[in-house]
């Protein structure tokens, strides 16, 4: 594949040595690292609230994205896809998060459902993070009018390239957390991590999350 200019549109600040990040910006960072390693030029665009030069509305997003003259675009957040589709270059919509399943628990299902169908209808290709997720999204893609006889998804796992270098502590400190969902039980992973630290006689875990 020849080298291309790829614009990644995301929300939140990308990882740095001293800045906490959200799942979406971490996903964007990983996508950008993979594309850069493959020889592509990566351009970045996020919201105005995330830093200088960001977009403040769908119209502003369209104008700023078009001014960058990308050859491909990746929308990490669903809601940005319709504005980006108007730029007129192939658009990949990242479906790494189960937004439709999360929405009923957040009280946003009606709005998220309409928003998701609009986003899918705007996309040319769709990123999924695992095979089970692909099967979940194929039915929804059909509802959005996407022909799934030829698989429109691309599998891009949730893997982490090398992140920002940080000062290592003599005693390891593991930090984890996030939203609490009925289908997500962090206890088995935490138990394994605690057992490993106990066997070594060192380290701590800080958990920041829901009940």
């Amino acid at each position: 594949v020849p080298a291309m200019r790829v614009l990644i549109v995301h929300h939140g600040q990308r990882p740095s040595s001293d800045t906490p990040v959200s799942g979406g910006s971490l996903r964007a960072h990983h996508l950008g690292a993979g594309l850069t390693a493959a020889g592509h030029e990566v351009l970045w665009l996020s919201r105005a609230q995330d830093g200088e030069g960001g977009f403040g509305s769908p119209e502003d997003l369209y104008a700023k994205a078009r001014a960058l003259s990308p050859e491909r675009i990746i929308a990490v957040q669903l809601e940005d896809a319709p504005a980006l589709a108007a730029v007129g270059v192939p658009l990949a919509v990242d479906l790494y998060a189960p937004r439709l399943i999360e929405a009923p628990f957040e009280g946003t299902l009606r709005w998220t459902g309409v928003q998701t169908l609009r986003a899918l209808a705007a996309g040319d290709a769709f990123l999924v993070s695992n095979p089970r997720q692909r099967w979940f999204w194929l039915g929804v893609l059909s509802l959005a009018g996407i022909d799934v006889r030829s698989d429109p998804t691309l599998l891009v796992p949730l893997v982490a390239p090398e992140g920002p270098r940080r000062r290592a502590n003599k005693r390891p400190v593991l930090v984890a957390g996030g939203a609490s969902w009925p289908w997500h039980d962090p206890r088995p992973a935490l138990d394994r991590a605690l057992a490993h630290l106990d066997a070594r006689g060192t380290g701590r875990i800080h958990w920041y999350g829901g009940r």
Side-chain angles (χ1 to χ4, degrees):
V1 178
M4 292 181 290
R5 288 167 57 86
V6 182
L7 172 62
I8 298 179
V9 179
H10 63 97
H11 296 179
Q13 297 184 36
R14 285 183 287 136
S16 65
S17 60
D18 58 356
T19 303
V21 298
S22 66
S25 57
L26 191 60
R27 172 70 164 177
H29 172 73
H30 296 164
L31 293 173
L35 288 167
T36 300
H40 301 291
E41 178 186 0
V42 176
L43 311 170
W44 300 96
L45 187 56
S46 60
R47 301 170 299 179
Q49 69 192 66
D50 300 324
E52 186 177 351
F55 62 90
S57 67
E59 295 77 16
D60 189 31
L61 171 58
Y62 163 76
K64 283 184 166 62
R66 185 174 181 181
L68 291 170
S69 300
E71 297 174 87
R72 299 289 189 275
I73 300 176
I74 298 175
V76 178
Q77 302 295 336
L78 287 170
E79 55 265 39
D80 297 331
L84 293 169
V87 176
V89 301
L91 170 65
V93 181
D94 197 351
L95 305 178
Y96 75 98
R99 297 276 292 274
L100 282 176
I101 300 177
E102 295 170 355
F105 300 94
E106 296 176 325
T108 62
L109 179 58
R110 179 172 296 183
W111 178 77
T112 300
V114 172
Q115 180 189 69
T116 298
L117 292 177
R118 287 175 176 168
L120 298 181
D124 298 294
F126 307 91
L127 310 184
V128 295
S129 61
N130 60 74
R132 290 181 64 188
Q133 193 178 59
R134 169 184 284 138
W135 286 109
F136 165 77
W137 280 109
L138 284 177
V140 185
L141 285 163
S142 296
L143 287 174
I146 307 297
D147 188 347
V148 298
R149 288 176 295 179
S150 177
D151 187 359
T153 66
L154 300 170
L155 179 60
V156 183
L158 293 174
V159 295
E162 183 177 351
R165 293 191 176 275
R166 293 178 170 85
R167 186 181 305 163
N169 296 321
K170 292 182 179 179
R171 299 181 64 218
V173 178
L174 307 180
V175 180
S180 179
W181 305 110
W183 59 88
H184 173 229
D185 184 359
R187 288 173 296 182
L190 287 172
D191 287 341
R192 290 194 298 270
L194 286 168
H196 178 74
L197 293 178
D198 287 344
R200 294 172 60 93
T202 186
R204 299 193 310 259
I205 293 178
H206 293 278
W207 174 260
Y208 301 92
R211 290 178 295 174

